[in-house]
Amino acid sequence: MVESMDNRKDSDNISLLDELKDEFQEGKVEMERKLGYQTNTESRGTNKKVVSRVASNAKSNTVTEERLMGKEQYFFSTISYFEEKEQPHFLFPLTQGLFAEPALIVETGPDQKELLSKSDGGTVAITNRYVRIHSSKGEWTIPYNSIASVDFVGHPALHIQTSGRTYYIRIAGTFFDEEQNLSKAAKYIREMQRNSREETQSTSNPDPIDQLEKLSGLKEEEIISEKDFERKKQELLDEI
């Protein structure tokens, strides 16, 4: 009877291990999908190649294979929030511990609110699309076109100013040169902020020459009258 129960326990344990292995494999395949690589059956064994490519495409040595493969779980869980083909360029751990400062504070006008305490921890992922702050307590996504300014300060920390709001993000010290990497991260955020703003301006203010060509096409297709064409053409010529 005892032997039978032991056998049943062993069988249950094996079944549980199989389930965990399947779940782990599915998580890695999902990671591949999020990062924009193939996820067919043949590619499921290429996780090492996937994260190697992602790490090599990053603009800093804060994105490593070890972090993306999940040895540090808080970085691996961040991946689930990425959009397809979103490339992380910087990954930083937030401060955590008895003597640490609060990891994340947001200031709105005269009011300050502690979003993440020193006991919460989490990560900051700076990607080709967003600044992402992720913790078990929540996730905050800051688009580049909403950023007014960014500053790298001591302790170390990033201060990101958006419309009517400032994020104070405190980074934990690790084995690499945190100050140098944060300085590079701030520079990258400014670059993405500029690019995003130029794209927005380009979209909101289309090129008058392009508009003239489209206008001519509308007239030829008799979608607009000759009178409307001449009036709109003059408006566009005035902008050149």
Side-chain angles (χ1 to χ4, degrees):
M1 187 62 145
V2 173
E3 183 178 352
S4 171
M5 288 178 66
D6 289 343
N7 287 340
R8 187 161 61 249
K9 287 179 181 176
D10 289 342
S11 175
D12 289 345
N13 287 338
I14 291 170
S15 177
L16 178 60
L17 283 172
D18 287 341
E19 288 179 17
L20 289 173
K21 286 178 182 177
D22 290 342
E23 185 178 337
F24 182 74
Q25 182 63 54
E26 288 173 7
K28 290 302 177 76
V29 172
E30 175 66 8
M31 178 186 74
E32 290 181 0
R33 188 190 71 77
K34 287 285 189 180
L35 297 173
Y37 298 99
Q38 292 180 345
T39 57
N40 57 35
T41 304
E42 293 180 358
S43 72
R44 291 191 180 196
T46 63
N47 296 301
K48 188 76 173 175
K49 292 181 181 179
V50 171
V51 296
S52 178
R53 288 178 65 180
V54 172
S56 65
N57 288 335
K59 296 182 180 294
S60 77
N61 63 354
T62 64
V63 181
T64 64
E65 294 181 30
E66 289 76 18
R67 288 182 169 186
L68 292 171
M69 287 296 286
K71 288 184 179 179
E72 298 182 65
Q73 290 300 320
Y74 42 80
F75 286 109
F76 183 69
S77 63
T78 303
I79 292 173
S80 64
Y81 289 86
F82 289 171
E83 297 173 355
E84 290 190 25
K85 298 189 180 181
E86 186 173 359
Q87 166 70 45
H89 287 300
F90 297 87
L91 287 174
F92 297 107
L94 295 174
T95 53
Q96 187 175 25
L98 183 61
F99 300 104
E101 296 288 338
L104 178 63
I105 290 176
V106 65
E107 183 178 88
T108 307
D111 301 321
Q112 278 196 356
K113 184 178 180 182
E114 187 178 289
L115 299 182
L116 292 174
S117 72
K118 61 184 180 182
S119 63
D120 292 327
T123 63
V124 179
I126 298 169
T127 79
N128 58 333
R129 296 183 181 176
Y130 307 101
V131 176
R132 294 185 179 275
I133 305 159
H134 173 64
S135 171
S136 60
K137 289 292 184 70
E139 195 232 352
W140 295 265
T141 302
I142 308 174
Y144 289 113
N145 61 8
S146 72
I147 295 176
S149 66
V150 59
D151 295 301
F152 156 59
V153 295
H155 305 308
L158 286 173
H159 293 177
I160 297 179
Q161 175 75 51
T162 65
S163 179
R165 180 177 276 214
T166 304
Y167 293 88
Y168 298 96
I169 309 166
R170 291 193 174 90
I171 310 300
T174 57
F175 63 92
F176 48 78
D177 186 349
E178 211 64 271
E179 289 194 4
Q180 184 179 5
N181 283 315
L182 272 173
S183 178
K184 290 179 181 177
K187 183 178 178 182
Y188 176 76
I189 293 171
R190 292 188 195 103
E191 178 186 338
M192 295 302 291
Q193 171 203 15
R194 257 191 325 270
N195 293 343
S196 179
R197 189 166 294 174
E198 287 172 3
E199 281 181 22
T200 302
Q201 289 174 348
S202 175
T203 303
S204 59
N205 300 308
D207 186 353
I209 302 297
D210 291 339
Q211 291 294 95
L212 275 172
E213 291 177 359
K214 291 178 182 178
L215 194 64
S216 296
L218 292 174
K219 187 191 76 167
E220 289 173 7
E221 294 173 17
E222 298 183 348
I223 295 174
I224 62 173
S225 67
E226 181 72 29
K227 182 179 179 182
D228 287 338
F229 169 75
E230 290 297 333
R231 177 179 57 79
K232 188 62 179 175
K233 183 179 77 169
Q234 190 56 54
E235 291 176 6
L236 291 169
L237 288 173
D238 291 340
E239 294 180 20
I240 299 175

